[in-house]
Amino acid sequence: LFLLGRLIKVAGFFFFLVEGGESQQSTYKPQIKTHPETTVALRGMNVTVTCMAVSSSDSPMSTVWRKDSEILYDADIENFVRYQQQAEEALEYTSVLHLFNVNFTDEGKYQCIVTNHFGSNYSQKAKLTVNEMPSFLKTPMDLTIRTGAMARLECAAEGHPAPQISWQKDGGTDFPAARERRMHVMPEDDVFFIANVKIEDMGIYSCMAQNIAGGLSANASLTVLETPSFIRPLEDKTVTRGETAVLQCIAGGSPAPRLNWTKDDGPLLVTERHFFAAANQLLIIVDAGLEDAGKYTCIMSNTLGTERGHIYLNVITSP
Ligand SMILES: *[C@@H]1O[C@H](CO)[C@@H](O)[C@H](O)[C@H]1NC(C)=O
Ligand SMILES: *[C@@H]1O[C@H](CO)[C@@H](O)[C@H](O)[C@H]1NC(C)=O
Ligand SMILES: *[C@@H]1O[C@H](CO)[C@@H](O)[C@H](O)[C@H]1NC(C)=O
Ligand SMILES: *[C@@H]1O[C@H](CO)[C@@H](O)[C@H](O)[C@H]1NC(C)=O
Ligand SMILES: *[C@@H]1O[C@H](CO)[C@@H](O)[C@H](O)[C@H]1NC(C)=O
């Protein structure tokens, strides 16, 4: 007899179960109705993993939880049982695994095993992923340097998974230094270099640290200093009396230099025939007279220094 099946007692009645035979037998075993679900949590959160099983027998059920196939002995588990006299699924059994203040070590695959007198059933394995928002370990600092020098900006962040670091300039991804291959990013070092700095490199550099849990950014301003210089050589001018003379002094430098003009090493007497344009880079003299001829000096200065250049204006009478 015992080779063919088992005699069992359910709800006060005896049943004879033929192993692998009667379909009724399988519903006596726990049937997993709710499997634990794949969960993504932030570190520090409380997570619950739930399993629900039913059985058409009233044999008490019990649960064991496993993480990565290892039994969790000290787990915080709550079990609920519901008994339904009439229903086909006589017992409904819920097991809730509580994970408090989750950390990365809690990551893994969780599974419940529900057992009663008739056998065991294994739930699907549910993956728990614990993430952490990036946080900065190093943020770039504001930098003021001269043209030609090397700019070095540092940025490092931690998080789970390890955050990706990316850079922006003035909120975009156009780096003049990258186009000219003067820019170097050292991924292991979290350092961002700009070699042979130019005025166009000036701006706000944002370091962004991003992972699946979120992102954050830190800004640093790069200020580039350059002594004033003439972008174009100064040109002497000859105009016929009554014509308009335009004297050009195109200035470079950072901060942008301020421009002044003098005439014959003295103050320039500005009349209604004198006009300045383009931030004083152009001196326009209309209806030039013989008295306008002479040596004009363009003086440009910024915080780093002063530069001057001369333009000789020659006024000739018409033939
Ligand atoms: C386990 O439960 C599932 C329903 O979730 C059921 O299909 C399966 O037959 C059960 N396994 C056993 C061995 O009873
Ligand atoms: C997690 O649960 C504990 C205990 O119930 C509670 O004190 C704590 O505030 C909970 N934490 C969060 C983030 O909900
Ligand atoms: C979380 O785990 C990390 C290592 O994985 C550990 O350094 C840290 O102390 C843990 N935090 C808590 C709150 O347990
Ligand atoms: C950082 O710089 C970007 C681009 O210049 C700007 O949009 C953003 O508001 C700045 N963020 C902070 C926190 O200053
Ligand atoms: C430019 O001119 C202004 C007014 O004439 C004077 O105050 C200033 O000192 C001058 N700057 C230079 C660099 O000569």
Side-chain angles (χ1 to χ4, degrees):
L1 183 79
F2 283 97
L3 291 175
L4 298 170
R6 291 189 292 160
L7 190 66
I8 56 146
K9 187 180 176 228
V10 175
F13 296 96
F14 283 94
F15 290 88
F16 176 68
L17 299 178
V18 179
E19 296 294 346
E22 292 274 348
S23 66
Q24 182 70 4
Q25 173 209 350
S26 68
T27 63
Y28 289 167
K29 281 189 181 179
Q31 308 288 302
I32 310 279
K33 274 284 153 81
T34 307
H35 292 268
E37 288 177 359
T38 297
T39 306
V40 177
L42 286 178
R43 200 183 85 158
M45 275 174 50
N46 294 339
V47 171
T48 59
V49 190
T50 304
C51 223
M52 199 264 276
V54 295
S55 164
S56 57
S57 87
D58 63 358
S59 164
M61 289 186 266
S62 65
T63 326
V64 163
W65 283 89
R66 281 188 185 179
K67 172 179 179 260
D68 298 327
S69 304
E70 301 273 336
I71 293 176
L72 293 169
Y73 290 105
D74 302 325
D76 195 317
I77 296 164
E78 272 185 293
N79 297 317
F80 306 94
V81 183
R82 230 171 57 176
Y83 184 72
Q84 288 156 306
Q85 186 82 54
Q86 305 301 325
E88 193 168 301
E89 296 167 346
L91 275 187
E92 188 185 289
Y93 180 81
T94 305
S95 183
V96 180
L97 170 67
H98 292 276
L99 301 169
F100 294 103
N101 187 21
V102 291
N103 205 339
F104 312 131
T105 49
D106 294 316
E107 284 193 333
K109 286 184 176 157
Y110 288 82
Q111 181 184 39
C112 73
I113 300 144
V114 186
T115 304
N116 69 5
H117 178 78
F118 300 96
S120 294
N121 205 337
Y122 290 67
S123 77
Q124 287 163 12
K125 292 177 179 174
K127 193 173 171 192
L128 171 66
T129 307
V130 178
N131 290 332
E132 186 170 39
M133 281 267 297
S135 58
F136 280 121
L137 298 170
K138 283 183 206 161
T139 51
M141 292 201 289
D142 292 348
L143 204 58
T144 299
I145 58 170
R146 288 187 178 241
T147 51
M150 166 118 79
R152 192 174 184 277
L153 296 169
E154 276 188 321
C155 188
E158 62 179 356
H160 195 86
Q164 295 280 313
I165 299 283
S166 61
W167 290 88
Q168 286 195 341
K169 177 180 185 290
D170 300 323
T173 52
D174 183 30
F175 297 89
R179 279 187 261 120
E180 297 170 7
R181 298 185 180 279
R182 292 184 290 106
M183 190 173 104
H184 308 283
V185 185
M186 306 276 168
E188 330 71 64
D189 249 11
D190 310 308
V191 180
F192 176 93
F193 285 108
I194 299 174
N196 186 20
V197 161
K198 296 188 175 174
I199 290 177
E200 62 259 35
D201 298 328
M202 198 150 77
I204 304 288
Y205 287 82
S206 311
C207 166
M208 286 168 305
Q210 195 123 29
N211 69 11
I212 195 157
L216 76 172
S217 74
N219 283 351
S221 67
L222 176 62
T223 306
V224 179
L225 300 178
E226 189 176 60
T227 50
S229 64
F230 295 105
I231 288 186
R232 281 186 230 151
L234 301 183
E235 283 176 11
D236 295 341
K237 285 273 151 93
T238 299
V239 295
T240 308
R241 188 172 158 190
E243 280 184 352
T244 296
V246 178
L247 308 186
Q248 277 195 356
C249 174
I250 307 301
S254 179
R258 292 171 166 277
L259 266 74
N260 271 13
W261 293 85
T262 63
K263 179 166 184 283
D264 298 326
D265 299 322
L268 171 69
L269 194 64
V270 178
T271 71
E272 68 277 7
R273 294 184 301 104
H274 291 78
F275 298 93
F276 296 98
N280 284 6
Q281 292 183 112
L282 301 183
L283 167 56
I284 301 157
I285 306 167
V286 298
D287 190 17
L290 294 176
E291 71 277 18
D292 293 321
K295 175 186 166 193
Y296 286 82
T297 303
C298 161
I299 306 158
M300 49 193 189
S301 54
N302 69 10
T303 49
L304 276 76
T306 299
E307 186 71 41
R308 29 188 108 221
H310 310 294
I311 298 174
Y312 291 90
L313 176 63
N314 190 17
V315 182
I316 55 172
T317 51
S318 50

